[in-house]
Amino acid sequence: MNDSKPRDVQILPIATNTKVLRARSQSRLRFEIEYALERGTTSNCYIIAADKTALFDPPGETFTTIYLEALQQTVNLKKIDYVILGHFSPNRVATLKALLEVAPQITFVCSLPGAANLRAAFPDNSLNILVMRGKETLDLGQGHVLKFLPIPSPRWPEGLCTYDQKTQILYTDKLFGVHICGDEVFDDNWESFKEDQRYYYNCLMAPHAVHVEAALEKISDLQVRMYAVGHGPLVRSSLMALTQAYADWSLAQKDREVTVALLYASAYGNTATLAQAIALGVTKGGAAVKSVNCEFATPEEIQSALEQADGFLIGSPTIGGHAPTPINTALGIVLKVGDNNKLAGVFGSYGWSGEALDMIECKLRDAGYRFGVETLKVKFKPDDVTLKYCEEVGTDFAQTLKKAKKVRLPQQAATPVEQAVGRIVGSVCIITAKHGEVSTAMLGSWVSQATFNPPGLTVAIAKERAIESLMYPGGKFALNILPEGNHLEYMKHFRKNFKPGEDRFQNFTTTEAENGCIVITDALAYVECSVEQRMECGDHWVVYATVENGKLLKPDEVTAINHRKTGTHY
């Protein structure tokens, strides 16, 4: 991903004595599944300048220079009293060091795990730290009394929200954010990025649904008029709607009939990134994820997650040829629990060797565990193709679990309603999508023209489809319309379950459309499309796209039609 696009810092007042500094980037900052929509991002920092001055969540090192320049225009750095950290990230250390050089008097305000991370990051520096456990307050003067709410989760054990009683602003850090970049400071046009908010939740919050519910409970008694989020527009117009959506999405995760325990530890963040991509895939596959960061979880928490799950995956780095102690502890608990009827999987990142993964796999096999996926080894930092592969691994693992758990029912005749719905026919098409180096395809027969001007169509896509994550607004795809006759070969091929990362186009002759997507040369016609909107409809997404280009390849052929006997399946 090209990361050379300009960055800037937007400074605006948002309440009494309160300003936001929005460090903006139009491009992705790094390979992370949460940035996959490539809408840019903002890293939001806040300042309350009352009798005392507090700074919230300075951004990462990619913004350090321009951020400090903007900050100096806003406040006297030598008069900053507090830096409040909603979470700790290693990429913030460069900015924190630069701040300390000009303002050594700063006192850091954070949770207990956050304090431990700070001391580890600054071993030679005697830092001033205030630890907030949930009952303390901080008075900045002029009515700005801050209340602190620890909101730990496996991904952010040090998570901390801050509430200003004067302005009724809740500084939520990671909660309620979205990765988009624009000039809009507030969410007054939030309808335009609802799907981005949902994607952000699915990537970052869904694996911690129980912790999200706990956070929502903690903030429910507060009189909040605005969420000062860590990323994206500040939330005021959609405050009630988004809060309810988080509650609904979290409840839906908990109520799923199949649960996967995702146990991991990460030395440099790479294995955690793999875990995040796998968790997204598991969620897409219709299973709930119980994410457990073994570096911070107690043995009791690990055992409880395993006992409640239908299957589990263990992710580990390799350090000095071995798995880190937290993973050895988790593996010991797995073997102690000893329920080898549960499906297992192993994944991880490594630098020079991957012995830890081989060791974990070997011990699980010796204990009689069956594997739902092949052991996944990734060298160094994962790229986009690897992250897409991880997503497919998670989806495949979830679907395997669901099939294993489902009780076979006697075949029943279709009802009159099901028979009637089944008579709705559609043309047989192969939908191909490509983004960067990631390319995939699916069989589609739920396709319909939707508009004349502009020419547009709708496509219904099941939520667990690999192609779904490429079909967000701005995405490109090609619709290959098959002719009657040879379409059966394509239907048989594209109806099968593909392995993660498997080439969908093997043994077929293809070419490339102008938008970069694959065109099947046997097609009757094809159209190149750009996704404009998508809507959640039960177990499918309905995507509306405009047609930008196309070609009739076989004018004398007839379009293949998919005839069904029932409306309960394709």
Side-chain angles (χ1 to χ4, degrees):
M1 175 69 194
N2 182 3
D3 200 32
S4 62
K5 295 181 181 179
R7 297 185 177 90
D8 64 3
V9 178
Q10 187 183 32
I11 309 170
L12 292 117
I14 58 171
T16 304
N17 302 325
T18 308
K19 292 182 178 181
V20 61
L21 279 74
R22 304 175 76 233
R24 302 188 295 179
S25 174
Q26 299 292 336
S27 61
R28 276 173 61 186
L29 302 184
R30 56 192 178 280
F31 288 110
E32 293 275 11
I33 197 77
E34 68 196 77
Y35 294 99
L37 300 187
E38 297 193 9
R39 301 280 299 276
T41 193
T42 68
S43 185
N44 299 333
C45 167
Y46 302 91
I47 302 171
I48 300 175
D51 295 337
K52 293 184 178 180
T53 300
L55 188 66
F56 291 77
D57 292 312
E61 60 185 335
T62 54
F63 292 112
T64 298
T65 301
I66 61 171
Y67 169 73
L68 289 180
E69 291 174 355
L71 190 60
Q72 287 172 335
Q73 301 172 22
T74 309
V75 66
N76 185 338
L77 298 186
K78 294 183 179 181
K79 291 187 178 181
I80 296 175
D81 297 284
Y82 303 104
V83 171
I84 300 171
L85 298 178
H87 79 285
F88 178 86
S89 175
N91 70 7
R92 287 183 172 182
V93 171
T95 307
L96 299 181
K97 283 182 177 178
L99 276 170
L100 282 170
E101 288 177 3
V102 294
Q105 79 284 350
I106 284 174
T107 296
F108 290 98
V109 182
C110 56
S111 65
L112 187 59
N117 287 332
L118 275 173
R119 292 188 181 102
F122 296 90
D124 301 324
N125 196 323
S126 180
L127 300 177
N128 301 315
I129 300 177
L130 272 179
V131 175
M132 296 298 172
R133 294 176 171 84
K135 296 181 180 180
E136 305 86 351
T137 59
L138 184 62
D139 191 347
L140 302 180
Q142 302 181 40
H144 296 277
V145 178
L146 305 184
K147 181 178 180 179
F148 300 90
L149 299 87
I151 52 165
S153 68
R155 184 175 174 115
W156 300 289
E158 71 285 1
L160 186 72
C161 283
T162 305
Y163 178 69
D164 183 356
Q165 296 181 13
K166 181 177 180 67
T167 61
Q168 296 183 327
I169 294 176
L170 182 67
Y171 298 87
T172 62
D173 193 40
K174 290 295 184 179
L175 277 176
F176 306 116
V178 62
H179 285 305
I180 60 173
C181 183
D183 294 329
E184 299 83 4
V185 177
F186 300 101
D187 67 332
D188 297 337
N189 296 312
W190 63 280
E191 290 279 354
S192 66
F193 54 84
K194 283 171 62 177
E195 285 307 320
D196 297 83
Q197 290 175 325
R198 177 65 181 274
Y199 183 81
Y200 180 95
Y201 175 91
N202 286 345
C203 287
L204 298 181
M205 301 297 161
H208 319 301
V210 173
H211 300 85
V212 172
E213 286 189 323
L216 294 178
E217 179 65 26
K218 284 187 177 181
I219 69 177
S220 62
D221 293 333
L222 302 175
Q223 296 294 320
V224 180
R225 72 176 187 88
M226 186 190 303
Y227 291 149
V229 294
H231 302 289
L234 283 65
V235 178
R236 63 181 184 185
S237 298
S238 65
L239 191 145
M240 293 182 64
L242 185 57
T243 304
Q244 186 60 51
Y246 261 56
D248 293 342
W249 297 335
S250 298
L251 182 61
Q253 289 295 315
K254 284 176 53 185
D255 286 347
R256 291 183 170 186
E257 62 179 8
V258 173
T259 301
V260 175
L262 188 61
L263 316 177
Y264 70 93
S266 191
Y268 303 105
N270 295 333
T271 301
T273 299
L274 301 179
Q276 181 185 342
I278 291 171
L280 176 61
V282 172
T283 300
K284 281 181 56 176
V289 182
K290 177 66 175 178
S291 186
V292 180
N293 186 336
C294 297
E295 298 173 71
F296 301 97
T298 65
E300 292 75 20
E301 290 171 333
I302 295 172
Q303 182 166 337
S304 175
L306 286 166
E307 290 174 343
Q308 295 174 25
D310 300 288
F312 65 91
L313 295 126
I314 299 182
S316 175
T318 297
I319 303 174
H322 303 281
T325 299
I327 291 298
N328 284 319
T329 299
L331 182 59
I333 295 170
V334 170
L335 299 176
K336 174 187 171 184
V337 172
D339 187 356
N340 58 14
N341 290 317
K342 295 185 177 182
L343 215 57
V346 180
F347 68 94
S349 176
Y350 66 97
W352 308 109
S353 59
E355 295 94 338
L357 304 175
D358 296 331
M359 179 275 293
I360 296 169
E361 179 184 349
C362 183
K363 289 197 173 184
L364 291 175
R365 289 195 185 280
D366 289 345
Y369 282 92
R370 295 174 298 112
F371 284 73
V373 292
E374 295 181 5
T375 295
L376 173 60
K377 297 181 178 181
V378 177
K379 194 169 185 179
F380 300 121
K381 194 170 185 67
D383 58 17
D384 276 344
V385 175
T386 303
L387 291 179
K388 183 61 179 174
Y389 179 85
C390 290
E391 182 187 317
E392 293 180 19
V393 164
T395 301
D396 201 47
F397 190 82
Q399 291 178 330
T400 301
L401 275 178
K402 289 172 67 178
K403 288 177 183 177
K405 192 172 181 180
K406 190 175 293 184
V407 178
R408 289 189 175 273
L409 298 175
Q411 190 76 24
Q412 295 181 344
T415 67
V417 171
E418 291 168 348
Q419 292 174 342
V421 172
R423 294 310 188 266
I424 301 172
V425 299
S427 55
V428 180
C429 305
I430 304 299
I431 302 163
T432 63
K434 186 175 183 181
H435 187 82
E437 298 301 317
V438 176
S439 183
T440 189
M442 64 167 269
L443 175 68
S445 59
W446 292 7
V447 180
S448 177
Q449 184 171 351
T451 53
F452 285 127
N453 187 21
L457 52 86
T458 58
V459 182
I461 302 172
K463 288 182 176 179
E464 70 271 11
R465 295 282 192 178
I467 202 172
E468 176 271 338
S469 57
L470 302 184
M471 304 286 274
Y472 279 82
K476 306 291 184 181
F477 69 92
L479 186 72
N480 295 268
I481 304 160
L482 298 180
E484 185 73 41
N486 67 348
H487 68 287
L488 296 177
E489 178 185 1
Y490 287 92
M491 291 182 70
K492 181 180 179 181
H493 174 76
F494 282 96
R495 271 179 172 164
K496 75 176 186 178
N497 291 325
F498 291 99
K499 295 179 181 179
E502 183 178 350
D503 182 4
R504 269 67 166 168
F505 309 103
Q506 193 174 14
N507 302 324
F508 291 112
T509 304
T510 63
T511 185
E512 188 174 290
E514 289 185 14
N515 66 1
C517 297
I518 288 176
V519 171
I520 296 172
T521 54
D522 278 345
L524 163 69
Y526 72 91
V527 289
E528 300 175 38
C529 304
S530 179
V531 178
E532 297 294 331
Q533 300 176 42
R534 55 185 261 156
M535 179 173 64
E536 187 173 11
C537 300
D539 53 8
H540 281 65
W541 293 102
V542 174
V543 173
Y544 170 70
T546 54
V547 176
E548 299 179 332
N549 194 16
K551 189 174 183 181
L552 178 61
L553 301 175
K554 298 178 179 179
D556 297 328
E557 300 285 348
V558 177
T559 302
I561 300 296
N562 181 34
H563 295 275
R564 301 180 297 158
K565 294 183 178 180
T566 175
T568 58
H569 55 77
Y570 298 113

